[in-house]
Amino acid sequence: MENTITNIIEKYNNDPLRLMDILIDIQENFGFIGNDAVKEIALALNMSEVDVEQTITFYHFLSTEPRGKYAIYLNNSVVSIMYGQKTIKATFEKEVGISFGQVTADGSIGLFDTACIGMNDQEPAAIINNHVFTKLTPYRVREIVKSMRQGKDMDELINESYGDGKNHLPSLKSMVSSNIRRKGMVLSDNYVYGSVTKLMLPNLSPEAVIQEIKTSHIRGRGGAGFPTGLKWEFCRRAKGDNHFVICNADEGEPGTFKDRVILTEKPELVFEGMVLAGYAIGSDEGILYLRYEYRYMKEYLEDVISTMLKNNLLGSNIAGIDGFNFDIRIQFGAGAYVCGEESALLESLEGKRGEPRDKPPFPVEKGYLNQPTIINNVETFATAVRIVENGGEWFTQFGTEDSTGTKILSISGDCLFPGVYEVNWGFNVNDMLDMVGAYDVQAVQVGGPSGTLIGPDEFHRTLGYSDLSTGGSMIIFGMQRNLLQDVVLNFMEFFIDESCGSCSTCRNMPHVLKNKLEKIINGKGVKGDLADLKEWSKVLNASRCGLGQTAANPIISSLKNFRHLYENLLQRDKEFDQGFDLITSVQRSCKYVKRVPKFHPIE
Ligand code: SF4
């Protein structure tokens, strides 16, 4: 064991910046990162043991306790539950003989819940030792557990039931499906990889590349919508010893999975977009920060990078441009939604807990290693290639005035054809529902839990930055769904689980709001509770990052658009909460602190 750990650390040159890689490799080798490993890492990297432990305990997929030879992570997101996750969970527990959160006594199988794994179009799904199992049924679960009991290899568990598109390739062999249902400029097959780099870049200056991106008016596809051309220009101008290009592939917003599909089907386009960005800002290093849930793509994506190196699309003097050198490496996260926030991502890239930084300074000035850095989404980089190929002006003919180009949507929930759709911005929700075969729709969650829950009276609205802004997640709920119990409560639990805990607002208020929501769901709410929910949610505005600032959105938007659901559950005859028993509460707290109340002594 000691030798293996030493080898792993040496593989990353004893570099503290590669702590995440070291921890992930050790976790995968031994199923946990024990005390001895922590000691050895700390010594070799010249860090304190506490620093190493801090990083380990921040991430869902790292553990100081054994997780089992087969570690099963079952997705507990809303859509997974809508598609039978509870039955699958019960079947796993029955077949394995333990509850979720436990490991069998012989250390063979561990069962764990996990947040959205980016498979909403093929639920219920689980990750087992980095392999994704989709569309689980009780029969399949029994089959899987039986094979585990027989000690079979993961390859034997897969059963050769590979997904569509490139998922069948030998370096992927994945059971995941891409489910591309509508193509536009990004998902289209009419682009020859590398042609912009080889044929156009030698004749374009970095400033000219930035100008095309600016002319296109493209805004970042991750959700925040910052103008991409401006970001690249700011970064190019910022002074630093080095500049970095980071691709944010940490799509953790529940309901989003389009970046997984772009990376599966069009990875060359994403990497080429990073090359263009590197050329534009004067960088020689790019990093793809990929969420751990997509670990199954590692070998495949590394193969693509190798091929690009061989073809002079990466490496030295790219496309014959003297002095233009650019390399890309892949850095995995280890399960933390907040790392999708750009400054938290940077912390994670540097081997630390993914806690968001105070801003300013912004990453374009001080990002990775305090150097000027651009961080863009997978879809943004892929789109940038088509913009440079066809010109910024060409791009503006798609979409609307303030939202140019196309948007790739991840559509899931109660519809006949869940999957990935590339549409022009300006598409309206009614058309989207017709397109995906969704009927009798009660609500659509636009933009994931941090977005908006809209009802039929708003389905005429259009997708775009001036109306319904979205990073791409669209979840459809039919009339049969209990929106408060099944959706809003699940989203609140998600935010509670994913808070990094730095701000007291984000650490505490979602609990308070959730408790009040549960009180209402349990029929004990009064009218004053609705006012409290609205008022108390404002406290979250003081949080440091977007996670905390949007953590009340599930309640705020459902209260605004589905107020009747709340009102129907209230105790109609009560304006104020009469259920609170002051005397009992005082007696109880006195008991806890071992004091004797002056009045109303404890009986
Ligand atoms: Fe962390 Fe929440 Fe504060 Fe963001 S808002 S820094 S996730 S505690």
Side-chain angles (χ1 to χ4, degrees), residues 338 356 498-503 506-507 543-549:
V338 70
E498 297 297 336
S499 168
C500 83
S502 292
C503 316
C506 174
R507 194 170 59 238
S543 304
R544 191 195 303 161
C545 84
L547 189 154
Q549 288 156 8

Side-chain angles (χ1 to χ4, degrees), residues 349-474:
L349 268 183
E350 293 176 6
K352 295 177 262 182
R353 294 164 68 84
E355 289 178 3
R357 299 173 180 174
D358 285 323
K359 288 191 259 185
F362 292 96
V364 285
E365 288 182 322
K366 287 189 187 302
Y368 182 55
L369 306 180
N370 269 336
Q371 299 299 315
T373 303
I374 56 163
I375 304 169
N376 279 123
N377 173 261
V378 169
E379 186 183 345
T380 313
F381 282 120
T383 312
V385 180
R386 303 311 308 262
I387 292 172
V388 176
E389 178 199 9
N390 296 289
E393 202 60 49
W394 164 84
F395 187 77
T396 60
Q397 70 182 288
F398 303 98
T400 66
E401 198 176 339
D402 78 333
S403 308
T404 52
T406 61
K407 181 76 197 86
I408 303 182
L409 304 174
S410 317
I411 305 179
S412 65
D414 291 315
C415 61
L416 294 176
F417 308 108
V420 165
Y421 294 77
E422 185 172 4
V423 300
N424 288 347
W425 281 114
F427 211 71
N428 85 34
V429 177
N430 268 321
D431 286 342
M432 181 202 81
L433 295 173
D434 285 346
M435 179 172 71
V436 304
Y439 312 108
D440 295 325
V441 176
Q442 181 181 187
V444 177
Q445 182 74 32
V446 181
S450 62
T452 319
L453 185 70
I454 59 168
D457 58 338
E458 295 192 83
F459 290 171
H460 61 279
R461 293 179 64 184
T462 58
L463 304 179
Y465 294 105
S466 57
D467 192 354
L468 283 173
S469 177
T470 173
S473 166
M474 309 289 280

Side-chain angles (χ1 to χ4, degrees), residues 151-225:
K152 288 190 177 170
D153 288 342
M154 286 307 297
D155 283 346
E156 292 176 88
L157 268 69
I158 289 170
N159 227 359
E160 295 195 2
S161 43
Y162 307 134
D164 63 6
K166 293 186 178 170
N167 287 290
H168 70 279
L169 292 179
S171 55
L172 254 179
K173 283 190 177 172
S174 132
M175 292 174 280
V176 175
S177 283
S178 291
N179 288 330
I180 295 179
R181 303 198 187 265
R182 185 178 163 127
K183 296 181 179 183
M185 66 175 81
V186 177
L187 297 174
S188 135
D189 297 317
N190 68 3
Y191 176 71
V192 180
Y193 297 129
S195 55
V196 165
T197 306
K198 288 216 158 162
L199 304 177
M200 298 182 71
L201 219 52
N203 303 313
L204 284 173
S205 67
E207 290 81 3
V209 172
I210 291 176
Q211 189 52 53
E212 290 302 339
I213 301 294
K214 280 175 75 180
T215 303
S216 75
H217 297 297
I218 182 177
R219 295 164 69 161
R221 291 335 198 203

